[in-house]
């Protein structure tokens, strides 16, 4: 595998992100991994956890070309605005969090990193600081000047992308337009090809209504919006099946023969995926000009500094980023 450098952001400094970064030092990563974080924060959290981790400072002037040895981490030191107490939010450090994301995202754009992996942030405390922030996805879309992005979660044997994300259920039907469905499907298809190395990905599409509308008796969105849009996309050569009833789509009969599922809304697809692989799933932002993966959980403030955390999702997020970069580069 070609050597490629990656960036890791620890997210909310009072949460479990720094802990996850430090746990990674127990084993040598297959690629050079740069943690963009406060050196002081990582040192203090390592002491709290009783971990002996060598923190190796690095900068854009002297990037490493080999993975850090076991027991050590490469760190691009990014100073905090205020001291951190594990488990206690402090709005003063909101700008620090965004600075780590900016360094990682811009580093990907500039070719310093083959991809970025993100630990969880706390949206509330960033907004309390006076900075409008709706999430990693929107922040990175703005940073990379990307108009449309797609959320996809993946675990072993299942990928689920979403047409709509964080909308009240009463607003979902109106948001599913032919234009939006077409944009999201094209992004999903193109990224499955370019970032996952799938030559002709097969995508299963959920209907919106129970029984996919039951021929119009349980809703007409399938007939009037979804089916015509899918027919036009098939004419472009995109391999689509559906719309299918969501209650039977998520069964081995269908899933064993597909590369991804396209769900119409958040709680249609993600409960199934998280039941199948919570703690071993990864959040992937499609449509960006860069590779970005993330854990599938939150900041877990109550567990920060306790040593009682599971790094499974972070491990999957890292492995997925490495594999996507290898597929994209053809190695």
């Amino acid at each position: 595998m070609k050597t490629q450098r990656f960036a890791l952001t620890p997210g909310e400094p009072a949460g479990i992100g720094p802990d996850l970064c430090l746990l990674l030092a127990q084993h040598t990563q297959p690629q050079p991994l740069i943690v963009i974080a406060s050196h002081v924060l990582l040192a203090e959290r390592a002491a709290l956890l009783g971990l002996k981790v060598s923190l190796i400072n690095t900068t854009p002037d002297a990037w490493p070309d080999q993975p850090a040895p076991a027991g050590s981490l490469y760190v691009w030191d990014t100073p905090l605005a205020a001291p951190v107490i594990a488990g206690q939010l402090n709005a003063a450090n909101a700008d620090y969090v965004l600075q780590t994301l900016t360094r990682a995202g811009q580093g990907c754009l500039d070719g310093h990193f083959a991809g970025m992996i993100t630990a969880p942030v706390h949206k509330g405390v960033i907004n309390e600081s006076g900075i409008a922030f709706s999430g990693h996805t929107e922040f990175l879309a703005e940073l990379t000047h990307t108009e449309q992005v797609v959320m996809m979660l993946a675990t072993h044997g299942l990928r689920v992308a979403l047409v709509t994300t964080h909308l009240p259920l009463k607003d979902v039907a109106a948001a599913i337009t032919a234009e939006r469905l077409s944009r999201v499907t094209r992004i999903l298809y193109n990224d499955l090809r370019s970032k996952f190395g799938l030559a002709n990905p097969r995508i299963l599409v959920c209907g919106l209504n129970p029984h996919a509308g039951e021929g119009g008796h349980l809703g007409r969105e399938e007939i009037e919006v979804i089916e015509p849009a899918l027919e036009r996309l098939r004419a472009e050569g995109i391999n689509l099946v559906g719309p299918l009833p969501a209650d039977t789509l998520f069964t081995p009969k269908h899933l064993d023969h597909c590369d991804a599922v396209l769900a119409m809304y958040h709680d249609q697809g993600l409960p199934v995926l998280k039941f199948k692989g919570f703690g071993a799933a990864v959040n992937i932002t499609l449509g960006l000009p860069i590779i970005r993966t993330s854990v599938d959980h939150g900041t877990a403030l109550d567990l920060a500094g306790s040593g009682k955390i599971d790094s499974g999702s972070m491990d999957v997020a890292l492995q997925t980023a490495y594999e996507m970069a290898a597929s994209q580069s053809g190695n």
Side-chain angles (χ1 to χ4, degrees), residues 11-291:
E12 167 53 47
I16 62 170
D19 308 46
L20 291 169
C21 294
L22 292 162
L23 288 177
L24 294 175
Q26 296 179 88
H27 306 286
T28 301
Q29 291 294 314
Q31 298 284 10
L33 183 66
I34 314 299
V35 181
I36 303 177
S38 162
H39 186 115
V40 170
L41 169 63
L42 293 175
E44 290 178 348
R45 191 64 58 86
L48 182 62
L49 293 169
L51 296 175
K52 292 184 177 180
V53 178
S54 175
L55 303 176
I56 305 170
N57 283 326
T58 186
T59 66
D61 297 327
W63 291 130
D65 56 8
Q66 294 296 324
S72 61
L73 284 177
Y74 293 128
V75 180
W76 185 3
D77 186 31
T78 307
L80 292 159
V84 171
I85 299 175
Q88 296 184 23
L89 295 171
N90 187 341
N93 282 319
D95 189 65
Y96 156 82
V97 174
L98 300 186
Q99 188 178 0
T100 65
L101 294 177
T102 300
R103 282 184 164 186
Q106 191 61 50
C108 289
L109 290 173
D110 293 342
H112 297 300
F113 307 122
M116 62 183 286
I117 302 94
T118 60
V121 297
H122 194 288
K123 300 181 186 71
V125 76
I126 296 175
N127 283 282
E128 287 170 15
S129 75
I131 301 171
F133 181 82
S134 54
H136 277 113
T137 302
E138 295 81 3
F139 181 86
L140 293 172
E142 183 176 353
L143 179 69
T144 60
H145 306 290
T146 303
E147 291 186 9
Q148 177 75 52
V149 293
V150 174
M151 177 189 289
M152 183 174 80
L153 268 73
T155 191
H156 179 70
L158 180 62
R159 302 183 184 99
V160 177
L162 304 176
V163 178
T164 64
T165 53
H166 300 123
L167 284 180
L169 192 56
K170 66 181 178 62
D171 297 334
V172 169
I176 298 174
T177 62
E179 180 185 7
R180 183 176 194 150
L181 177 57
S182 298
R183 286 201 313 266
V184 169
T185 303
R186 290 187 186 106
I187 290 170
L188 172 61
Y189 177 75
N190 289 333
D191 273 20
L192 287 173
R193 296 184 69 197
S194 65
K195 295 178 179 175
F196 290 85
L198 300 171
N200 184 31
R202 190 169 190 260
I203 300 168
L204 303 187
V205 182
C206 294
L208 171 64
N209 296 296
H211 300 183
E214 194 77 69
H217 296 288
L218 296 176
R220 297 192 57 81
E221 285 83 2
E222 285 78 10
I223 294 172
E224 295 176 0
V225 178
I226 298 173
E227 291 175 1
L230 298 187
E231 281 302 312
R232 288 191 291 271
L233 292 164
R234 290 188 186 101
E236 298 175 12
I238 300 178
N239 189 357
L240 300 171
V241 178
L244 298 174
D247 64 341
T248 54
L249 182 155
F250 289 101
T251 58
K253 172 185 174 181
H254 295 293
L255 296 181
D256 288 349
H257 306 286
C258 84
D259 296 298
V261 172
L262 183 59
M264 291 294 136
Y265 57 95
H266 188 280
D267 282 12
Q268 182 182 57
L270 297 194
V272 180
L273 184 134
K274 292 194 175 186
F275 177 77
K276 178 177 174 62
F278 189 75
V282 56
N283 189 335
I284 305 161
T285 306
L286 305 179
L288 295 172
I290 64 175
I291 289 171

